[in-house]
């Protein structure tokens, strides 16, 4: 794996060395804070394949971006009270860590028959490493733990665009191989998903544990055309997971449960509608609508390492819905200068369910059901500001600013068989800001577009109304929970294109 990652990271550098001449593309977006749908760009055909139909000759593309994230605080605190309001349990988890993210793309666009084709190879990689400690009632640093989150995503993308008079048709076929792993390690209580408190000595509010490998096929159909002066782009996309494999490992004190034959399944669907209406030769109103829905399921049957006849069927389900709508203005200010501003509404939903049973023969002994762990909803308002200014025919400067504010709600539900059910609901805000700088340096026929980004964001949630009810529906305990995540990131990259 290490060799493959190294190969993908250095591949854009090889393109630089072999191509020698270039005209960049994605770096322009990176230098303005990625204002896709607000500012038109050649790289838009990675979203709308129909747009690749426009162009001439053979072009070789390269793009690389690196991002470092410092997670300063990733915490959740849980306090348990009697029904009389007396504190009788305190479980505080304080975490920090860092993430390293790589994104790389190499490929080519070229004429094929009556249209144009694009062939691209992409890689996305994330390495997250966090550590923390738990405080319990009367004992600080009761235990320590580590969290790791890794992703490797390799994809081959085939695009084709065909001009048909005033219309352009396009499509994309993508095959991706993904490796995803979340690992929760707490000495003595590794992945304490079996905790009978919500979520006492339980790391699942941070992340669900799994080790998955699977293939995914993705398809796009795209149309671009004009209705009067209005320029419209529409793309519908969907995909499904196949040949999936999942490994699940859980340790409760000295009992280790392991599964090596799990499965991963899932599907997704979504689409983009972009419109650009020219009010004048130098002023355009861009509008964007985007929708994505995805489901993913991991399931299997685990065995205990101590030779017990018990088996442990498990089922993890993830569902997400992202909807964006908004628009703005895009204005040219003289030759080689542009400013753009847009405001967008984002609706983000996510739900994670985890169910684990202990079965002997046909008898279910125990069941730990984390239903909606969490179920989250965020309503977010985002502002995008972007600008570019041509200093000389050889040098262009760019900037972008992206502040946002969101209202968040998270619900947690834990059922221990029929014995009791715990519920708590968090609410709060999620806000942040991103800033980008970039530029173009041309010494014909070479064009390079480097860029840098800085981001800060903060999530703060709390609740004072959680409760536990027994099988008769009687409240036996009360809960108070809060959750925070504060992080900053810095990154940058460069794009390149070799135009024959």
């Amino acid at each position: 794996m290490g060799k493959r990652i190294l190969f993908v990271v250095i591949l854009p550098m090889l393109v630089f060395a072999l191509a020698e001449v270039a005209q960049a593309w994605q770096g322009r977006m990176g230098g303005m804070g990625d204002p896709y749908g607000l500012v038109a760009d050649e790289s838009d055909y990675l979203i709308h394949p129909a747009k690749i139909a426009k162009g001439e000759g053979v072009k070789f593309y390269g793009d690389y971006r690196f991002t470092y994230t410092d997670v300063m605080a990733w915490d959740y605190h849980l306090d348990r009270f009697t029904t009389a309001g007396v504190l009788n349990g305190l479980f505080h988890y304080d975490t920090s860590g860092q993430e390293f993210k790589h994104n790389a793309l190499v490929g080519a666009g070229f004429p094929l028959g009556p249209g144009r084709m694009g062939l691209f190879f992409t890689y996305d990689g994330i390495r997250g490493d966090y550590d923390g400690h738990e405080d319990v009632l009367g004992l600080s640093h009761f235990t320590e733990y580590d969290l790791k989150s890794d992703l490797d995503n390799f994809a081959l993308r085939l695009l084709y665009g065909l001009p048909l008079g005033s219309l352009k048709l396009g499509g994309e076929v993508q095959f991706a191989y993904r490796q995803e792993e979340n690992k929760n390690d707490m000495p003595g209580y590794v992945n304490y998903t079996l905790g009978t408190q919500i979520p006492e000595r339980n790391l699942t509010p941070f992340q669900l544990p799994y080790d998955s490998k699977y293939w995914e096929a993705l398809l796009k159909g795209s149309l671009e055309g004009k209705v009067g002066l209005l320029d419209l782009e529409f793309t519908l996309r969907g995909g499904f997971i196949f040949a999936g494999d999942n490994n699940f490992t859980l340790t409760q004190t000295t009992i280790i449960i392991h599964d090596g034959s799990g499965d991963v399944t899932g599907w997704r669907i979504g689409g983009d509608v972009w419109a650009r209406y020219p009010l004048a030769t130098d002023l355009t109103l861009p509008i964007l609508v985007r929708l994505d829905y995805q489901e993913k399921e991991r399931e299997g049957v685990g065995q205990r390492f101590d030779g017990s006849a018990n088996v442990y069927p498990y089922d993890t389900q993830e569902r997400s819905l992202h909807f964006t709508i908004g628009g703005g203005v895009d204005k040219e200010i003289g030759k080689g200068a542009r400013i753009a501003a847009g405001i967008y509404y984002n609706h983000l939903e996510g739900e994670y369910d985890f169910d684990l049973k202990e079965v002997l023969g046909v008898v279910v002994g125990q069941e730990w059901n984390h239903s909606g762990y969490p179920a989250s909803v965020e309503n977010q308002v985002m502002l995008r500001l972007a600008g570019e200014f041509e200093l000389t025919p050889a040098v262009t400067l760019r900037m972008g600013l992206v502040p946002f504010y969101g209202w968040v709600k998270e619900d947690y539900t834990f059922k221990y068989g029929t014995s009791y059910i715990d519920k708590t609901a968090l609410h709060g805000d999620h806000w942040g800001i991103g800033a980008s700088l970039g530029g173009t340096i041309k010494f014909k026929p070479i064009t390079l577009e480097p860029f840098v980004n800085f981001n800060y964001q903060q999530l703060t949630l709390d609740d004072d109304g959680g409760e536990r009810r027994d099988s008769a529906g009687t409240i036996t305990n009360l809960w108070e929970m809060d959750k925070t995540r504060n992080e900053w990131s810095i990154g940058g990259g460069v794009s390149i294109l070799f135009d024959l």
Side-chain angles (χ1 to χ4, degrees):
M1 177 52 61
K3 293 182 178 179
R4 281 187 289 177
I5 295 173
L6 181 61
F7 171 76
V8 172
V9 170
I10 67 174
L11 196 52
M13 301 179 186
L14 296 179
V15 174
F16 289 178
L18 296 174
E20 293 186 356
V21 293
Q23 177 183 342
W25 64 325
Q26 280 185 295
R28 178 171 179 253
M29 291 285 99
M32 293 189 287
D34 299 311
Y36 294 103
L38 178 63
V39 177
D41 186 72
E42 180 182 356
S43 61
D44 288 345
Y45 70 64
L46 295 175
I47 300 171
H48 297 284
K51 296 182 74 66
I52 199 174
K54 181 181 179 180
E56 297 179 354
V58 179
K59 298 181 179 181
F60 295 98
Y61 300 89
D63 183 75
Y64 174 73
R65 177 180 296 198
F66 171 78
T67 305
Y68 168 79
T69 301
D70 180 9
V71 182
M72 299 177 290
W74 187 16
D75 313 327
Y76 85 86
H77 296 166
L78 180 72
D79 296 334
R80 185 181 64 201
F81 299 86
T82 68
T83 55
V86 178
L87 181 68
N88 67 351
L90 180 149
F91 315 98
H92 288 185
Y93 297 80
D94 296 325
T95 313
S96 61
Q98 56 189 359
E99 297 175 358
F100 301 89
K101 185 176 181 180
H102 302 269
N103 304 99
L105 176 148
V106 291
F110 48 89
L112 183 65
R116 286 183 61 82
M117 186 172 186
L119 174 63
F120 296 92
F121 176 76
T122 66
Y123 170 76
D124 301 297
I126 300 176
R127 295 292 179 269
D129 190 0
Y130 324 90
D131 58 75
H133 65 271
E134 179 194 9
D135 298 335
V136 299
L137 190 62
L139 184 60
S140 179
H141 284 245
F142 168 72
T143 188
E144 297 182 349
Y145 54 85
D146 293 305
L147 309 173
K148 295 185 182 298
S149 181
D150 296 340
L151 167 70
D152 290 300
N153 177 18
F154 302 87
L156 177 66
R157 304 177 60 175
L158 304 174
L159 293 77
Y160 189 75
L162 180 66
L164 294 175
S166 62
L167 296 178
K168 298 182 182 68
L169 298 179
E172 178 180 342
V173 177
Q174 180 181 155
F175 294 99
Y177 178 70
R178 310 186 196 281
Q179 298 183 134
E180 303 171 336
E181 182 178 11
N182 284 347
K183 184 177 180 181
N184 306 344
D185 186 359
M186 179 184 288
Y189 297 93
V190 181
N191 294 358
Y192 200 99
T193 314
L194 307 187
T196 55
Q197 310 292 345
I198 173 181
E200 179 181 346
R201 298 179 192 139
N202 183 356
L203 300 177
T204 54
F206 293 113
Q207 58 186 26
L208 293 172
Y210 52 74
D211 184 2
S212 302
K213 301 175 180 65
Y214 59 90
W215 289 86
E216 186 172 20
L218 298 170
L219 305 173
K220 287 183 182 180
S222 182
L223 173 67
E224 180 184 13
K226 285 184 176 290
V227 179
L229 296 177
L230 187 66
D231 183 16
L232 287 172
E233 290 120 28
F234 170 72
T235 296
L236 182 67
R237 56 184 172 271
F240 58 91
I241 293 172
F242 63 97
D245 178 74
N246 186 67
N247 190 320
F248 173 79
T249 301
L250 170 75
T251 299
Q252 182 191 17
T253 59
T254 59
I255 301 173
I256 301 176
I257 302 168
H258 175 76
D259 162 56
S261 59
D263 192 17
V264 185
T265 58
W267 60 276
R268 68 172 72 193
I269 192 169
D272 278 89
V273 179
W274 294 4
R276 298 181 66 84
Y277 185 81
L279 292 178
T281 56
D282 59 354
L283 179 63
T284 303
L285 298 181
I287 299 172
L288 177 150
V289 179
R290 181 183 181 95
L291 178 68
D292 285 289
Y293 180 79
Q294 180 178 4
E295 291 190 3
K296 188 183 298 182
E297 183 175 11
R298 298 175 173 91
E299 58 183 352
V301 179
Q303 303 282 340
R304 277 169 52 167
F305 278 1
D306 62 4
S308 169
N310 293 346
V311 295
Y312 295 83
Y314 68 88
D315 185 14
T316 299
Q317 298 185 15
E318 303 176 19
R319 291 174 288 275
S320 64
L321 171 67
H322 294 177
F323 173 72
T324 299
I325 186 170
V329 293
D330 178 13
K331 181 173 177 56
E332 297 180 14
I333 306 174
K335 184 179 179 180
R338 175 188 304 273
I339 59 171
I343 186 167
Y344 301 88
Y345 165 72
N346 298 312
H347 178 82
L348 313 172
E349 294 186 18
E351 183 173 348
Y352 301 84
D353 299 335
F354 177 76
D355 184 75
L356 177 69
K357 297 181 178 69
E358 181 182 61
V359 179
L360 179 59
V362 296
V363 178
V364 178
Q366 302 181 78
E367 181 178 4
W368 301 270
N369 186 343
H370 299 73
S371 176
Y373 217 77
S376 64
V377 177
E378 179 174 356
N379 292 294
Q380 184 185 100
V381 177
M382 175 179 288
L383 179 66
R384 288 191 178 275
L385 302 172
E388 59 183 355
F389 178 72
E390 185 179 279
L391 292 178
T392 71
V395 178
T396 300
L397 298 181
R398 298 187 178 90
M399 61 79 62
L401 194 65
V402 187
F404 70 88
Y405 186 89
W407 295 263
V408 182
K409 181 181 179 182
E410 286 190 355
D411 293 325
Y412 291 83
T413 301
F414 173 74
K415 298 178 182 178
Y416 181 61
T418 59
S419 300
Y420 62 82
I421 180 172
D422 289 321
K423 289 187 176 181
T424 186
L426 310 183
H427 57 271
D429 54 33
H430 178 209
W431 65 272
I433 189 169
S436 302
L437 292 174
T440 295
I441 304 173
K442 298 180 181 179
F443 34 105
K444 193 174 181 178
I446 299 174
T447 305
L448 298 177
E449 291 184 344
F451 60 91
V452 294
N453 310 110
F454 177 82
N455 295 275
Y456 176 83
Q457 59 180 298
Q458 178 175 306
L459 173 71
T460 305
L461 306 175
D462 60 61
D463 165 55
D464 56 4
E467 61 184 28
R468 166 175 293 179
R469 293 180 180 265
D470 62 19
S471 57
T474 303
I475 298 177
T476 59
N477 285 108
L478 303 176
W479 300 102
E480 289 187 4
M481 185 177 179
D482 64 74
K483 183 178 179 180
T484 62
R485 180 170 171 132
N486 302 333
E487 64 181 54
W488 64 268
S489 63
I490 189 169
V494 64
S495 287
I496 190 170
L497 182 149
F498 172 42
D499 191 350
L500 289 179

